[in-house]
Amino acid sequence: MEVLDDGALFNESSAMVVNDSPTKDFGLERGLRQGDPLSTFLFIIAMEALNVMMTKAVNLCIFNTISLPNGILMISHLFYADDVMFVGEPSIANLKNLNRILRVFYLVSRLKVNFPKVNCMGVAIDEEDLLLAVDMIHCKMGKFLLEYLGWVIGANMNKG
């Protein structure tokens, strides 16, 4: 996700206190630079809002999740590092509702999904249905055996 121009916090100027003495005022600019230590915390705060929205959508049956075999745990979304993964039933209604949720999240937070970077993947889904989903949300079709943070996902993890 990226912060749009009108979504960043800013102020005219600021100063810091160093050794009990204020520094000279300095101007603030919009946004954070890549690699800024604050970007992780800002992401966590923003994703907490998305977490609340997704939890509410699941509770109201707006977004249908998948359940693990024991039926106790239902997964609808996962956050890791600066990535988000949505997991749900493969249906047109679910995709439309997820798009609506993300649109509302954008309107509230000004954080917009960069859909050309999004990968849509399916497990036990016909390729035609997956292509329909990719076309609907204007993203790339992903495939397993992908590399994420240096690890190969979908490979035999016992090999080594």
Side-chain angles (χ1 to χ4, degrees), residues 42-109:
L42 184 60
F43 179 80
I44 290 169
I45 291 168
M47 292 305 101
E48 180 56 28
L50 184 57
N51 176 53
V52 169
M53 290 175 68
M54 284 301 297
T55 302
K56 183 85 169 177
V58 169
N59 290 340
L60 294 174
C61 297
I62 294 169
F63 185 81
N64 297 314
T65 66
I66 61 166
S67 297
L68 294 181
N70 62 10
I72 295 172
L73 182 63
M74 295 180 358
I75 301 172
S76 62
H77 58 287
L78 300 167
F79 301 120
Y80 184 76
D82 61 352
D83 292 319
V84 179
M85 181 170 59
F86 297 100
V87 182
E89 289 180 357
S91 69
I92 301 287
N94 235 17
L95 283 174
K96 285 182 179 180
N97 286 336
L98 180 59
N99 271 338
R100 289 176 183 129
I101 292 164
L102 293 173
R103 174 73 178 152
V104 170
F105 180 69
Y106 161 70
L107 292 172
V108 170
S109 69

Short mmCIF file of all heavy atoms in Angstrom, two decimals, residues 42-109:
data_model
loop_
_atom_site.label_atom_id
_atom_site.label_comp_id
_atom_site.label_asym_id
_atom_site.label_seq_id
_atom_site.Cartn_x
_atom_site.Cartn_y
_atom_site.Cartn_z
N LEU A 42 3.81 2.86 11.60
CA LEU A 42 2.69 3.47 10.90
C LEU A 42 1.86 2.40 10.19
O LEU A 42 0.64 2.43 10.21
CB LEU A 42 3.20 4.51 9.90
CG LEU A 42 2.15 5.31 9.16
CD1 LEU A 42 1.28 6.09 10.14
CD2 LEU A 42 2.81 6.24 8.17
N PHE A 43 2.54 1.41 9.59
CA PHE A 43 1.85 0.32 8.93
C PHE A 43 1.01 -0.47 9.92
O PHE A 43 -0.15 -0.80 9.67
CB PHE A 43 2.86 -0.60 8.22
CG PHE A 43 2.22 -1.78 7.54
CD1 PHE A 43 1.62 -1.63 6.30
CD2 PHE A 43 2.21 -3.03 8.14
CE1 PHE A 43 1.02 -2.70 5.67
CE2 PHE A 43 1.62 -4.11 7.51
CZ PHE A 43 1.02 -3.94 6.27
N ILE A 44 1.57 -0.76 11.09
CA ILE A 44 0.85 -1.52 12.12
C ILE A 44 -0.41 -0.78 12.55
O ILE A 44 -1.48 -1.37 12.69
CB ILE A 44 1.77 -1.82 13.31
CG1 ILE A 44 2.84 -2.83 12.91
CG2 ILE A 44 0.96 -2.34 14.51
CD1 ILE A 44 3.95 -3.01 13.92
N ILE A 45 -0.30 0.53 12.76
CA ILE A 45 -1.45 1.32 13.18
C ILE A 45 -2.53 1.31 12.09
O ILE A 45 -3.71 1.09 12.37
CB ILE A 45 -1.02 2.76 13.51
CG1 ILE A 45 -0.17 2.76 14.79
CG2 ILE A 45 -2.24 3.67 13.67
CD1 ILE A 45 0.54 4.07 15.05
N ALA A 46 -2.12 1.50 10.85
CA ALA A 46 -3.09 1.51 9.75
C ALA A 46 -3.74 0.14 9.57
O ALA A 46 -4.95 0.03 9.34
CB ALA A 46 -2.41 1.95 8.45
N MET A 47 -2.94 -0.91 9.70
CA MET A 47 -3.48 -2.25 9.51
C MET A 47 -4.40 -2.68 10.64
O MET A 47 -5.26 -3.53 10.44
CB MET A 47 -2.35 -3.27 9.32
CG MET A 47 -1.59 -3.10 8.02
SD MET A 47 -2.64 -3.12 6.54
CE MET A 47 -2.79 -1.39 6.16
N GLU A 48 -4.26 -2.07 11.80
CA GLU A 48 -5.21 -2.37 12.88
C GLU A 48 -6.61 -1.93 12.47
O GLU A 48 -7.59 -2.61 12.75
CB GLU A 48 -4.77 -1.70 14.18
CG GLU A 48 -5.70 -1.96 15.34
CD GLU A 48 -5.91 -3.45 15.65
OE1 GLU A 48 -5.00 -4.27 15.38
OE2 GLU A 48 -6.99 -3.79 16.18
N ALA A 49 -6.70 -0.80 11.78
CA ALA A 49 -8.00 -0.35 11.29
C ALA A 49 -8.56 -1.32 10.25
O ALA A 49 -9.75 -1.66 10.28
CB ALA A 49 -7.88 1.05 10.69
N LEU A 50 -7.71 -1.80 9.35
CA LEU A 50 -8.16 -2.78 8.36
C LEU A 50 -8.54 -4.09 9.04
O LEU A 50 -9.51 -4.74 8.64
CB LEU A 50 -7.07 -3.01 7.30
CG LEU A 50 -7.43 -3.95 6.16
CD1 LEU A 50 -8.68 -3.47 5.41
CD2 LEU A 50 -6.25 -4.07 5.21
N ASN A 51 -7.81 -4.47 10.07
CA ASN A 51 -8.14 -5.68 10.83
C ASN A 51 -9.54 -5.57 11.43
O ASN A 51 -10.33 -6.51 11.35
CB ASN A 51 -7.10 -5.89 11.93
CG ASN A 51 -7.43 -7.07 12.82
OD1 ASN A 51 -7.66 -8.17 12.35
ND2 ASN A 51 -7.49 -6.82 14.11
N VAL A 52 -9.86 -4.44 12.01
CA VAL A 52 -11.19 -4.23 12.60
C VAL A 52 -12.27 -4.32 11.52
O VAL A 52 -13.31 -4.95 11.70
CB VAL A 52 -11.25 -2.89 13.36
CG1 VAL A 52 -12.67 -2.53 13.75
CG2 VAL A 52 -10.35 -2.93 14.59
N MET A 53 -12.00 -3.70 10.37
CA MET A 53 -12.98 -3.74 9.28
C MET A 53 -13.21 -5.16 8.78
O MET A 53 -14.35 -5.57 8.55
CB MET A 53 -12.51 -2.84 8.12
CG MET A 53 -12.55 -1.36 8.44
SD MET A 53 -11.86 -0.36 7.12
CE MET A 53 -13.07 -0.60 5.84
N MET A 54 -12.13 -5.92 8.61
CA MET A 54 -12.26 -7.29 8.11
C MET A 54 -12.96 -8.18 9.14
O MET A 54 -13.80 -9.01 8.77
CB MET A 54 -10.89 -7.87 7.76
CG MET A 54 -10.32 -7.34 6.47
SD MET A 54 -11.35 -7.66 5.02
CE MET A 54 -11.35 -9.44 4.96
N THR A 55 -12.64 -8.01 10.41
CA THR A 55 -13.28 -8.81 11.46
C THR A 55 -14.79 -8.54 11.48
O THR A 55 -15.60 -9.47 11.57
CB THR A 55 -12.65 -8.51 12.83
OG1 THR A 55 -11.25 -8.79 12.76
CG2 THR A 55 -13.29 -9.32 13.93
N LYS A 56 -15.15 -7.28 11.35
CA LYS A 56 -16.58 -6.91 11.32
C LYS A 56 -17.25 -7.50 10.07
O LYS A 56 -18.37 -8.02 10.15
CB LYS A 56 -16.71 -5.38 11.33
CG LYS A 56 -18.11 -4.87 11.38
CD LYS A 56 -18.60 -4.80 12.77
CE LYS A 56 -19.90 -4.02 12.82
NZ LYS A 56 -20.46 -3.97 14.13
N ALA A 57 -16.57 -7.44 8.93
CA ALA A 57 -17.13 -7.98 7.69
C ALA A 57 -17.34 -9.50 7.81
O ALA A 57 -18.35 -10.02 7.32
CB ALA A 57 -16.21 -7.67 6.52
N VAL A 58 -16.43 -10.19 8.45
CA VAL A 58 -16.58 -11.64 8.65
C VAL A 58 -17.74 -11.92 9.59
O VAL A 58 -18.58 -12.79 9.32
CB VAL A 58 -15.27 -12.26 9.18
CG1 VAL A 58 -15.48 -13.67 9.65
CG2 VAL A 58 -14.18 -12.20 8.11
N ASN A 59 -17.83 -11.17 10.68
CA ASN A 59 -18.91 -11.38 11.65
C ASN A 59 -20.29 -11.11 11.05
O ASN A 59 -21.27 -11.73 11.44
CB ASN A 59 -18.69 -10.51 12.89
CG ASN A 59 -17.52 -10.99 13.72
OD1 ASN A 59 -17.09 -12.13 13.63
ND2 ASN A 59 -16.98 -10.10 14.54
N LEU A 60 -20.36 -10.17 10.09
CA LEU A 60 -21.63 -9.85 9.45
C LEU A 60 -21.87 -10.69 8.19
O LEU A 60 -22.82 -10.45 7.44
CB LEU A 60 -21.68 -8.36 9.09
CG LEU A 60 -21.69 -7.39 10.26
CD1 LEU A 60 -21.58 -5.95 9.78
CD2 LEU A 60 -22.95 -7.58 11.10
N CYS A 61 -20.98 -11.67 7.94
CA CYS A 61 -21.05 -12.55 6.76
C CYS A 61 -20.98 -11.77 5.45
O CYS A 61 -21.54 -12.18 4.43
CB CYS A 61 -22.30 -13.41 6.80
SG CYS A 61 -22.32 -14.53 8.21
N ILE A 62 -20.27 -10.65 5.46
CA ILE A 62 -20.03 -9.88 4.24
C ILE A 62 -18.86 -10.49 3.49
O ILE A 62 -18.83 -10.50 2.27
CB ILE A 62 -19.77 -8.39 4.58
CG1 ILE A 62 -21.03 -7.78 5.17
CG2 ILE A 62 -19.29 -7.61 3.37
CD1 ILE A 62 -20.83 -6.41 5.78
N PHE A 63 -17.87 -10.99 4.22
CA PHE A 63 -16.72 -11.67 3.64
C PHE A 63 -16.68 -13.08 4.23
O PHE A 63 -16.69 -13.24 5.45
CB PHE A 63 -15.42 -10.92 3.95
CG PHE A 63 -14.22 -11.51 3.27
CD1 PHE A 63 -13.95 -11.23 1.94
CD2 PHE A 63 -13.37 -12.37 3.95
CE1 PHE A 63 -12.84 -11.77 1.31
CE2 PHE A 63 -12.27 -12.93 3.32
CZ PHE A 63 -12.00 -12.63 2.00
N ASN A 64 -16.68 -14.08 3.35
CA ASN A 64 -16.68 -15.47 3.80
C ASN A 64 -15.26 -16.02 3.81
O ASN A 64 -14.57 -15.99 2.80
CB ASN A 64 -17.58 -16.32 2.90
CG ASN A 64 -19.01 -15.87 2.98
OD1 ASN A 64 -19.53 -15.65 4.06
ND2 ASN A 64 -19.64 -15.70 1.84
N THR A 65 -14.85 -16.52 4.96
CA THR A 65 -13.50 -17.02 5.16
C THR A 65 -13.40 -18.48 4.78
O THR A 65 -14.37 -19.08 4.31
CB THR A 65 -13.10 -16.89 6.64
OG1 THR A 65 -13.92 -17.78 7.40
CG2 THR A 65 -13.29 -15.49 7.15
N ILE A 66 -12.24 -19.04 5.05
CA ILE A 66 -12.09 -20.49 4.99
C ILE A 66 -11.87 -20.95 6.42
O ILE A 66 -11.38 -20.20 7.27
CB ILE A 66 -10.93 -20.94 4.08
CG1 ILE A 66 -9.59 -20.39 4.59
CG2 ILE A 66 -11.17 -20.53 2.65
CD1 ILE A 66 -8.40 -21.04 3.95
N SER A 67 -12.25 -22.18 6.70
CA SER A 67 -12.06 -22.75 8.04
C SER A 67 -11.05 -23.87 7.96
O SER A 67 -11.00 -24.61 6.98
CB SER A 67 -13.38 -23.31 8.58
OG SER A 67 -14.32 -22.30 8.73
N LEU A 68 -10.27 -23.99 9.01
CA LEU A 68 -9.37 -25.13 9.11
C LEU A 68 -10.19 -26.37 9.41
O LEU A 68 -11.33 -26.28 9.88
CB LEU A 68 -8.32 -24.86 10.19
CG LEU A 68 -7.37 -23.71 9.86
CD1 LEU A 68 -6.35 -23.54 10.97
CD2 LEU A 68 -6.65 -23.93 8.54
N PRO A 69 -9.64 -27.56 9.18
CA PRO A 69 -10.43 -28.80 9.32
C PRO A 69 -11.16 -28.95 10.65
O PRO A 69 -12.25 -29.49 10.69
CB PRO A 69 -9.39 -29.90 9.12
CG PRO A 69 -8.36 -29.27 8.24
CD PRO A 69 -8.30 -27.83 8.66
N ASN A 70 -10.60 -28.50 11.75
CA ASN A 70 -11.29 -28.67 13.03
C ASN A 70 -12.44 -27.69 13.23
O ASN A 70 -13.20 -27.81 14.16
CB ASN A 70 -10.30 -28.58 14.19
CG ASN A 70 -9.61 -27.22 14.28
OD1 ASN A 70 -9.99 -26.27 13.60
ND2 ASN A 70 -8.61 -27.14 15.13
N GLY A 71 -12.55 -26.69 12.34
CA GLY A 71 -13.65 -25.74 12.40
C GLY A 71 -13.52 -24.68 13.47
O GLY A 71 -14.37 -23.80 13.58
N ILE A 72 -12.48 -24.74 14.28
CA ILE A 72 -12.32 -23.77 15.36
C ILE A 72 -11.75 -22.46 14.85
O ILE A 72 -12.18 -21.39 15.24
CB ILE A 72 -11.43 -24.36 16.48
CG1 ILE A 72 -12.12 -25.54 17.12
CG2 ILE A 72 -11.10 -23.29 17.52
CD1 ILE A 72 -11.25 -26.30 18.11
N LEU A 73 -10.79 -22.53 13.94
CA LEU A 73 -10.10 -21.34 13.47
C LEU A 73 -10.54 -21.01 12.05
O LEU A 73 -10.51 -21.86 11.17
CB LEU A 73 -8.58 -21.57 13.51
CG LEU A 73 -7.71 -20.42 13.08
CD1 LEU A 73 -7.89 -19.23 14.03
CD2 LEU A 73 -6.25 -20.84 13.08
N MET A 74 -10.97 -19.78 11.86
CA MET A 74 -11.32 -19.28 10.53
C MET A 74 -10.32 -18.19 10.17
O MET A 74 -10.04 -17.31 10.99
CB MET A 74 -12.75 -18.72 10.53
CG MET A 74 -13.78 -19.78 10.80
SD MET A 74 -15.52 -19.26 10.83
CE MET A 74 -15.56 -17.55 10.58
N ILE A 75 -9.80 -18.24 8.96
CA ILE A 75 -8.80 -17.27 8.52
C ILE A 75 -9.40 -16.40 7.43
O ILE A 75 -9.91 -16.91 6.44
CB ILE A 75 -7.54 -17.98 7.99
CG1 ILE A 75 -6.94 -18.87 9.08
CG2 ILE A 75 -6.53 -16.97 7.49
CD1 ILE A 75 -5.83 -19.75 8.59
N SER A 76 -9.32 -15.09 7.61
CA SER A 76 -9.78 -14.17 6.57
C SER A 76 -8.65 -13.28 6.07
O SER A 76 -8.67 -12.85 4.92
CB SER A 76 -10.92 -13.30 7.08
OG SER A 76 -10.48 -12.50 8.17
N HIS A 77 -7.68 -12.98 6.91
CA HIS A 77 -6.59 -12.11 6.51
C HIS A 77 -5.39 -12.32 7.42
O HIS A 77 -5.54 -12.73 8.57
CB HIS A 77 -7.02 -10.65 6.53
CG HIS A 77 -7.52 -10.19 7.87
ND1 HIS A 77 -8.74 -10.56 8.39
CD2 HIS A 77 -6.96 -9.40 8.82
CE1 HIS A 77 -8.90 -10.01 9.58
NE2 HIS A 77 -7.83 -9.31 9.87
N LEU A 78 -4.22 -12.07 6.87
CA LEU A 78 -2.97 -12.19 7.62
C LEU A 78 -2.10 -10.98 7.29
O LEU A 78 -2.05 -10.54 6.14
CB LEU A 78 -2.21 -13.47 7.23
CG LEU A 78 -2.93 -14.79 7.46
CD1 LEU A 78 -2.20 -15.91 6.73
CD2 LEU A 78 -3.00 -15.09 8.95
N PHE A 79 -1.44 -10.44 8.29
CA PHE A 79 -0.49 -9.35 8.10
C PHE A 79 0.89 -9.85 8.46
O PHE A 79 1.07 -10.51 9.48
CB PHE A 79 -0.82 -8.16 9.02
CG PHE A 79 -2.20 -7.59 8.83
CD1 PHE A 79 -3.09 -7.57 9.87
CD2 PHE A 79 -2.59 -7.08 7.61
CE1 PHE A 79 -4.36 -7.04 9.72
CE2 PHE A 79 -3.86 -6.55 7.43
CZ PHE A 79 -4.74 -6.53 8.49
N TYR A 80 1.86 -9.54 7.61
CA TYR A 80 3.24 -9.90 7.92
C TYR A 80 4.16 -8.86 7.29
O TYR A 80 4.01 -8.55 6.10
CB TYR A 80 3.59 -11.29 7.40
CG TYR A 80 4.98 -11.70 7.80
CD1 TYR A 80 5.26 -12.11 9.09
CD2 TYR A 80 6.02 -11.62 6.89
CE1 TYR A 80 6.53 -12.46 9.47
CE2 TYR A 80 7.31 -11.98 7.25
CZ TYR A 80 7.56 -12.39 8.55
OH TYR A 80 8.82 -12.73 8.93
N ALA A 81 5.09 -8.36 8.10
CA ALA A 81 6.01 -7.32 7.64
C ALA A 81 5.16 -6.18 7.07
O ALA A 81 4.39 -5.59 7.81
CB ALA A 81 7.02 -7.87 6.65
N ASP A 82 5.28 -5.89 5.80
CA ASP A 82 4.45 -4.83 5.22
C ASP A 82 3.53 -5.40 4.14
O ASP A 82 3.18 -4.73 3.19
CB ASP A 82 5.32 -3.70 4.67
CG ASP A 82 6.25 -4.16 3.57
OD1 ASP A 82 6.33 -5.38 3.33
OD2 ASP A 82 6.89 -3.30 2.94
N ASP A 83 3.13 -6.64 4.33
CA ASP A 83 2.25 -7.31 3.38
C ASP A 83 0.94 -7.74 4.03
O ASP A 83 0.88 -7.95 5.24
CB ASP A 83 2.93 -8.55 2.80
CG ASP A 83 4.12 -8.21 1.92
OD1 ASP A 83 4.00 -7.24 1.14
OD2 ASP A 83 5.15 -8.88 2.03
N VAL A 84 -0.08 -7.86 3.20
CA VAL A 84 -1.39 -8.32 3.66
C VAL A 84 -1.82 -9.45 2.74
O VAL A 84 -1.64 -9.39 1.53
CB VAL A 84 -2.44 -7.19 3.58
CG1 VAL A 84 -3.80 -7.68 4.03
CG2 VAL A 84 -2.01 -5.98 4.39
N MET A 85 -2.39 -10.50 3.33
CA MET A 85 -2.93 -11.60 2.55
C MET A 85 -4.38 -11.81 2.98
O MET A 85 -4.66 -11.93 4.17
CB MET A 85 -2.13 -12.89 2.77
CG MET A 85 -2.66 -14.04 1.97
SD MET A 85 -1.62 -15.52 1.95
CE MET A 85 -1.52 -15.93 3.65
N PHE A 86 -5.28 -11.82 2.00
CA PHE A 86 -6.68 -12.10 2.27
C PHE A 86 -6.96 -13.53 1.84
O PHE A 86 -6.53 -13.96 0.78
CB PHE A 86 -7.58 -11.13 1.49
CG PHE A 86 -7.39 -9.70 1.92
CD1 PHE A 86 -6.62 -8.84 1.18
CD2 PHE A 86 -7.98 -9.23 3.08
CE1 PHE A 86 -6.44 -7.53 1.57
CE2 PHE A 86 -7.80 -7.93 3.49
CZ PHE A 86 -7.03 -7.07 2.73
N VAL A 87 -7.70 -14.24 2.68
CA VAL A 87 -8.01 -15.64 2.43
C VAL A 87 -9.52 -15.80 2.57
O VAL A 87 -10.09 -15.46 3.60
CB VAL A 87 -7.31 -16.56 3.46
CG1 VAL A 87 -7.60 -18.01 3.17
CG2 VAL A 87 -5.81 -16.28 3.51
N GLY A 88 -10.15 -16.29 1.51
CA GLY A 88 -11.60 -16.45 1.59
C GLY A 88 -12.12 -17.42 0.56
O GLY A 88 -11.38 -17.95 -0.26
N GLU A 89 -13.42 -17.64 0.64
CA GLU A 89 -14.08 -18.52 -0.32
C GLU A 89 -13.94 -17.93 -1.72
O GLU A 89 -14.07 -16.72 -1.89
CB GLU A 89 -15.56 -18.67 0.02
CG GLU A 89 -15.82 -19.47 1.26
CD GLU A 89 -17.30 -19.61 1.57
OE1 GLU A 89 -18.15 -19.02 0.84
OE2 GLU A 89 -17.62 -20.29 2.54
N PRO A 90 -13.70 -18.79 -2.69
CA PRO A 90 -13.56 -18.29 -4.07
C PRO A 90 -14.91 -18.04 -4.73
O PRO A 90 -15.50 -18.93 -5.34
CB PRO A 90 -12.80 -19.43 -4.77
CG PRO A 90 -13.19 -20.65 -4.00
CD PRO A 90 -13.42 -20.21 -2.59
N SER A 91 -15.43 -16.83 -4.54
CA SER A 91 -16.72 -16.50 -5.15
C SER A 91 -16.68 -15.05 -5.64
O SER A 91 -15.93 -14.22 -5.12
CB SER A 91 -17.87 -16.69 -4.15
OG SER A 91 -17.80 -15.71 -3.14
N ILE A 92 -17.52 -14.78 -6.61
CA ILE A 92 -17.62 -13.42 -7.16
C ILE A 92 -18.07 -12.45 -6.06
O ILE A 92 -17.53 -11.36 -5.93
CB ILE A 92 -18.62 -13.38 -8.34
CG1 ILE A 92 -18.18 -14.32 -9.45
CG2 ILE A 92 -18.82 -11.97 -8.84
CD1 ILE A 92 -17.00 -13.89 -10.25
N ALA A 93 -19.04 -12.87 -5.26
CA ALA A 93 -19.55 -12.01 -4.18
C ALA A 93 -18.43 -11.67 -3.20
O ALA A 93 -18.32 -10.51 -2.76
CB ALA A 93 -20.70 -12.69 -3.46
N ASN A 94 -17.60 -12.64 -2.86
CA ASN A 94 -16.50 -12.39 -1.93
C ASN A 94 -15.51 -11.38 -2.51
O ASN A 94 -15.03 -10.49 -1.81
CB ASN A 94 -15.79 -13.70 -1.59
CG ASN A 94 -15.73 -13.96 -0.11
OD1 ASN A 94 -16.45 -13.38 0.69
ND2 ASN A 94 -14.85 -14.86 0.27
N LEU A 95 -15.18 -11.54 -3.80
CA LEU A 95 -14.26 -10.60 -4.43
C LEU A 95 -14.83 -9.19 -4.48
O LEU A 95 -14.13 -8.22 -4.20
CB LEU A 95 -13.93 -11.06 -5.85
CG LEU A 95 -12.94 -12.20 -5.97
CD1 LEU A 95 -12.83 -12.65 -7.42
CD2 LEU A 95 -11.58 -11.79 -5.45
N LYS A 96 -16.10 -9.09 -4.84
CA LYS A 96 -16.74 -7.76 -4.88
C LYS A 96 -16.75 -7.13 -3.50
O LYS A 96 -16.47 -5.94 -3.35
CB LYS A 96 -18.16 -7.87 -5.44
CG LYS A 96 -18.21 -8.09 -6.93
CD LYS A 96 -19.65 -8.14 -7.43
CE LYS A 96 -19.69 -8.33 -8.93
NZ LYS A 96 -21.07 -8.40 -9.43
N ASN A 97 -17.09 -7.92 -2.48
CA ASN A 97 -17.14 -7.37 -1.13
C ASN A 97 -15.74 -7.00 -0.63
O ASN A 97 -15.59 -5.98 0.06
CB ASN A 97 -17.82 -8.34 -0.18
CG ASN A 97 -19.32 -8.37 -0.40
OD1 ASN A 97 -19.90 -7.42 -0.91
ND2 ASN A 97 -19.95 -9.47 -0.06
N LEU A 98 -14.73 -7.78 -0.97
CA LEU A 98 -13.36 -7.42 -0.59
C LEU A 98 -12.96 -6.12 -1.26
O LEU A 98 -12.37 -5.24 -0.61
CB LEU A 98 -12.38 -8.54 -0.94
CG LEU A 98 -10.92 -8.26 -0.58
CD1 LEU A 98 -10.76 -8.02 0.91
CD2 LEU A 98 -10.04 -9.41 -1.04
N ASN A 99 -13.29 -5.95 -2.53
CA ASN A 99 -13.01 -4.68 -3.22
C ASN A 99 -13.72 -3.52 -2.53
O ASN A 99 -13.15 -2.43 -2.39
CB ASN A 99 -13.43 -4.76 -4.68
CG ASN A 99 -12.33 -5.28 -5.58
OD1 ASN A 99 -11.15 -5.20 -5.22
ND2 ASN A 99 -12.70 -5.81 -6.71
N ARG A 100 -14.96 -3.74 -2.10
CA ARG A 100 -15.71 -2.68 -1.41
C ARG A 100 -15.06 -2.33 -0.07
O ARG A 100 -14.96 -1.17 0.31
CB ARG A 100 -17.15 -3.13 -1.20
CG ARG A 100 -17.95 -3.18 -2.47
CD ARG A 100 -19.36 -3.74 -2.23
NE ARG A 100 -20.07 -3.84 -3.49
CZ ARG A 100 -20.69 -4.93 -3.90
NH1 ARG A 100 -20.72 -6.01 -3.14
NH2 ARG A 100 -21.30 -4.95 -5.07
N ILE A 101 -14.63 -3.36 0.66
CA ILE A 101 -13.96 -3.13 1.95
C ILE A 101 -12.69 -2.32 1.75
O ILE A 101 -12.42 -1.36 2.48
CB ILE A 101 -13.66 -4.48 2.65
CG1 ILE A 101 -14.96 -5.16 3.08
CG2 ILE A 101 -12.73 -4.28 3.84
CD1 ILE A 101 -14.81 -6.63 3.43
N LEU A 102 -11.91 -2.70 0.74
CA LEU A 102 -10.67 -1.97 0.46
C LEU A 102 -10.94 -0.54 0.00
O LEU A 102 -10.18 0.37 0.30
CB LEU A 102 -9.82 -2.72 -0.56
CG LEU A 102 -9.26 -4.05 -0.07
CD1 LEU A 102 -8.57 -4.80 -1.20
CD2 LEU A 102 -8.31 -3.85 1.11
N ARG A 103 -12.04 -0.34 -0.71
CA ARG A 103 -12.41 1.02 -1.14
C ARG A 103 -12.78 1.88 0.07
O ARG A 103 -12.36 3.04 0.17
CB ARG A 103 -13.58 0.94 -2.12
CG ARG A 103 -14.15 2.26 -2.54
CD ARG A 103 -13.25 2.99 -3.48
NE ARG A 103 -13.90 4.25 -3.87
CZ ARG A 103 -13.24 5.32 -4.22
NH1 ARG A 103 -11.94 5.32 -4.28
NH2 ARG A 103 -13.89 6.41 -4.54
N VAL A 104 -13.55 1.32 0.99
CA VAL A 104 -13.91 2.06 2.21
C VAL A 104 -12.66 2.35 3.04
O VAL A 104 -12.49 3.45 3.55
CB VAL A 104 -14.97 1.28 3.05
CG1 VAL A 104 -15.16 1.91 4.42
CG2 VAL A 104 -16.29 1.22 2.30
N PHE A 105 -11.77 1.38 3.13
CA PHE A 105 -10.51 1.58 3.84
C PHE A 105 -9.73 2.73 3.22
O PHE A 105 -9.17 3.57 3.92
CB PHE A 105 -9.69 0.29 3.85
CG PHE A 105 -8.38 0.42 4.55
CD1 PHE A 105 -8.33 0.57 5.93
CD2 PHE A 105 -7.19 0.39 3.85
CE1 PHE A 105 -7.11 0.69 6.59
CE2 PHE A 105 -5.97 0.51 4.49
CZ PHE A 105 -5.94 0.67 5.87
N TYR A 106 -9.70 2.78 1.89
CA TYR A 106 -9.02 3.88 1.20
C TYR A 106 -9.67 5.22 1.53
O TYR A 106 -8.99 6.21 1.81
CB TYR A 106 -9.01 3.64 -0.31
CG TYR A 106 -8.77 4.90 -1.11
CD1 TYR A 106 -7.52 5.50 -1.10
CD2 TYR A 106 -9.78 5.49 -1.84
CE1 TYR A 106 -7.29 6.67 -1.82
CE2 TYR A 106 -9.57 6.65 -2.56
CZ TYR A 106 -8.32 7.24 -2.54
OH TYR A 106 -8.10 8.40 -3.24
N LEU A 107 -11.00 5.27 1.49
CA LEU A 107 -11.70 6.53 1.76
C LEU A 107 -11.46 7.02 3.18
O LEU A 107 -11.43 8.22 3.43
CB LEU A 107 -13.20 6.36 1.50
CG LEU A 107 -13.59 6.14 0.03
CD1 LEU A 107 -15.07 5.79 -0.07
CD2 LEU A 107 -13.25 7.37 -0.80
N VAL A 108 -11.28 6.10 4.11
CA VAL A 108 -11.05 6.46 5.51
C VAL A 108 -9.59 6.80 5.78
O VAL A 108 -9.27 7.77 6.46
CB VAL A 108 -11.52 5.31 6.44
CG1 VAL A 108 -11.09 5.55 7.87
CG2 VAL A 108 -13.02 5.14 6.35
N SER A 109 -8.67 6.01 5.22
CA SER A 109 -7.26 6.13 5.58
C SER A 109 -6.40 6.82 4.51
O SER A 109 -5.28 7.23 4.81
CB SER A 109 -6.67 4.76 5.84
OG SER A 109 -6.59 4.03 4.63
#
